[in-house]
Amino acid sequence: MDNFRTAIFLLAWTFTIGLIYMVVNTMMGGYFIPIMNDIANDSSLVQDKAAYSLQTGTATTAFNVACLILVLSPYAYFFVKLLLKKESTSQPYQPGVW
């Protein structure tokens, strides 16, 4: 895969993960977590409501870290690939050999 194709792949990958992040973050932060917090606050089954709210914050943070890893992993691969790329070298000098 040449560098142009790799660059296009990286841009498409970043755009796709960005769209997924925006959609899921909106669903979690705007709909799912407030509804689950309301259910937990109204329910008598949840004993420690503060711990439940902390767990929903932990889920949001875990999702953010997962998206960050998904975005950065192809860039890390591309960087290491370019870092380890061997330079073209000439043949070693051998006197008397044409």
Side-chain angles (χ1 to χ4, degrees):
M1 188 181 290
D2 61 338
N3 290 340
F4 181 73
R5 282 182 162 180
T6 305
I8 295 298
F9 169 75
L10 286 176
L11 290 174
W13 179 262
T14 303
F15 180 73
T16 304
I17 298 299
L19 283 178
I20 291 171
Y21 173 76
M22 288 187 285
V23 168
V24 174
N25 200 22
T26 301
M27 290 298 295
M28 283 177 62
Y31 299 106
F32 182 70
I33 290 176
I35 290 172
M36 295 304 289
N37 284 338
D38 289 342
I39 292 171
N41 290 333
D42 294 340
S43 176
S44 61
L45 297 175
V46 177
Q47 300 296 326
D48 192 4
K49 293 175 177 50
Y52 182 81
S53 295
L54 182 65
Q55 290 173 353
T56 57
T58 304
T60 304
T61 303
F63 173 71
N64 291 341
V65 170
C67 282
L68 180 70
I69 290 171
L70 282 174
V71 165
L72 293 181
S73 59
Y75 288 99
Y77 167 76
F78 189 59
F79 177 73
V80 170
K81 180 180 163 185
L82 288 176
L83 192 66
L84 298 177
K85 191 174 187 179
K86 292 185 178 183
E87 296 181 9
S88 60
T89 58
S90 61
Q91 294 293 326
Y93 175 70
Q94 296 177 352
V97 177
W98 289 87

